[in-house]
């Protein structure tokens, strides 16, 4: 469709690319590129990408986790999530692993619910949010450390969680997008769900494909 709303892929001519800061979790890169005849310099967080899980039970409750996030000095409500930092691990397997590690739960049904670029002006982080249903206990208890040691779990009615977004009481971007996508998706009969193993061209490792 000619007027379809869609982001456009651009491949600017890259002049230089250097890592100017190597961090514990991710790096900061500086690149000089040519765009429309002009050389531009930009620094950005070179991110591994991430996955998140919106688990929904038979009563339309979503599983939320609360943990401390130091940059914003908050214990915020989030979806179970994690980095794509295991070599050659698929996004789906990463989501299932992170879900089990943070909640001691597993799910029978997995679909792609939504995707997002968290801060495209300063980071190449891409996040895929999965819808997980048919949730049950794994039978194992995972050891958690650092911020995850004090993690809190809560099942919340999807409609109540959406109200918390609209009231600005919860503001984690991945959670907000996931909740709104789940509410709209449910109200439309889940017609927009994607295959759990669908291609993911926005993930950083796929930028040059």
């Amino acid at each position: 469709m000619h007027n379809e709303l869609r982001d456009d892929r651009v491949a600017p001519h890259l002049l230089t690319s250097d890592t100017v800061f190597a961090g514990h979790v991710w790096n900061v890169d500086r690149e000089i590129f040519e765009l429309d005849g002009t050389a531009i310099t930009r620094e950005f967080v070179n991110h591994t990408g991430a996955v998140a899980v919106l688990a929904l039970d038979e009563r339309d409750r979503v599983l939320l986790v609360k943990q401390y996030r130091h940059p914003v000095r908050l214990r915020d409500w989030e979806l179970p999530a994690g980095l794509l930092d295991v070599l050659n691990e698929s996004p789906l397997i990463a989501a299932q692993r992170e879900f089990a590690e943070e909640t001691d739960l597993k799910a029978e049904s997995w679909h792609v619910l939504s995707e997002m670029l968290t801060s495209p002006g300063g980071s190449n982080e891409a996040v895929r949010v999965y819808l997980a249903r048919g949730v049950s206990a794994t039978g194992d208890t995972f050891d958690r450390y650092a911020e995850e040691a004090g993690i809190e779990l809560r099942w919340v009615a999807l409609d109540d969680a959406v109200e918390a977004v609209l009231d600005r009481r919860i503001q984690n971007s991945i959670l907000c997008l996931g909740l709104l996508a789940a509410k709209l998706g449910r109200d439309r009969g889940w017609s927009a769900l994607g295959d759990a193993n669908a291609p993911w061209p926005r993930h950083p490792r796929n930028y040059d494909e």
Side-chain angles (χ1 to χ4, degrees), residues 99-168:
F99 186 55
E101 289 176 359
E102 290 194 4
T103 69
D104 300 326
L105 297 172
K106 59 184 178 180
E108 295 179 2
S109 171
W110 292 82
H111 292 87
V112 174
L113 176 64
S114 61
E115 294 172 349
M116 66 182 296
L117 302 174
T118 57
S119 184
S123 171
N124 61 3
E125 180 184 18
V127 180
R128 172 172 278 186
V129 182
Y130 287 90
L131 175 69
R133 291 175 289 185
V135 176
S136 61
T138 62
D140 297 317
T141 301
F142 286 84
D143 293 329
R144 301 181 180 96
Y145 61 94
E147 293 93 340
E148 293 182 355
I151 205 167
E152 177 185 343
L153 305 181
R154 183 183 299 181
W155 286 97
V156 180
L158 177 59
D159 290 337
D160 291 344
V162 169
E163 285 300 317
V165 174
L166 299 179
D167 288 344
R168 299 174 295 281

Side-chain angles (χ1 to χ4, degrees), residues 22 29 32 71 74 86 100 125 137 157 176 189 202 207:
D29 287 358
I32 302 176
L74 290 173
V86 176
E125 180 184 18
C176 291
R202 300 294 180 89
Y207 281 1

Side-chain angles (χ1 to χ4, degrees), residues 15-200:
L15 301 175
T16 66
S17 179
D18 300 288
T19 296
V20 295
F21 174 76
H24 178 66
V25 179
W26 43 66
N27 298 336
V28 175
D29 287 358
R30 176 182 294 126
E31 294 189 344
I32 302 176
F33 58 95
E34 189 176 279
L35 184 67
D36 299 328
T38 301
I40 301 172
T41 302
R42 290 290 180 267
E43 292 90 16
F44 61 93
V45 175
N46 194 348
H47 202 283
T48 62
V51 287
V53 181
L54 191 144
L56 203 62
D57 71 4
E58 65 282 354
R59 295 163 55 188
D60 266 359
R61 297 183 306 168
V62 59
L63 182 62
L64 307 184
V65 300
K66 180 188 275 188
Q67 61 178 309
Y68 178 65
R69 293 303 188 185
H70 187 69
V72 292
R73 308 300 200 270
L74 290 173
R75 291 188 185 276
D76 72 336
W77 287 106
E78 306 180 357
L79 295 177
L83 299 175
L84 290 166
D85 55 0
V86 176
L87 184 64
N88 296 325
E89 184 178 51
S90 74
L92 175 59
I93 296 301
Q96 293 171 337
R97 173 180 55 78
E98 291 287 351
F99 186 55
E101 289 176 359
E102 290 194 4
T103 69
D104 300 326
L105 297 172
K106 59 184 178 180
E108 295 179 2
S109 171
W110 292 82
H111 292 87
V112 174
L113 176 64
S114 61
E115 294 172 349
M116 66 182 296
L117 302 174
T118 57
S119 184
S123 171
N124 61 3
E125 180 184 18
V127 180
R128 172 172 278 186
V129 182
Y130 287 90
L131 175 69
R133 291 175 289 185
V135 176
S136 61
T138 62
D140 297 317
T141 301
F142 286 84
D143 293 329
R144 301 181 180 96
Y145 61 94
E147 293 93 340
E148 293 182 355
I151 205 167
E152 177 185 343
L153 305 181
R154 183 183 299 181
W155 286 97
V156 180
L158 177 59
D159 290 337
D160 291 344
V162 169
E163 285 300 317
V165 174
L166 299 179
D167 288 344
R168 299 174 295 281
R169 288 180 277 120
I170 55 176
Q171 298 192 350
N172 179 278
S173 60
I174 300 170
L175 172 61
C176 291
L177 176 67
L179 291 171
L180 295 174
K183 164 120 175 98
L184 285 170
R186 182 198 62 186
D187 293 349
R188 296 179 182 183
W190 301 116
S191 59
L193 292 178
D195 183 272
N197 288 300
W200 189 7

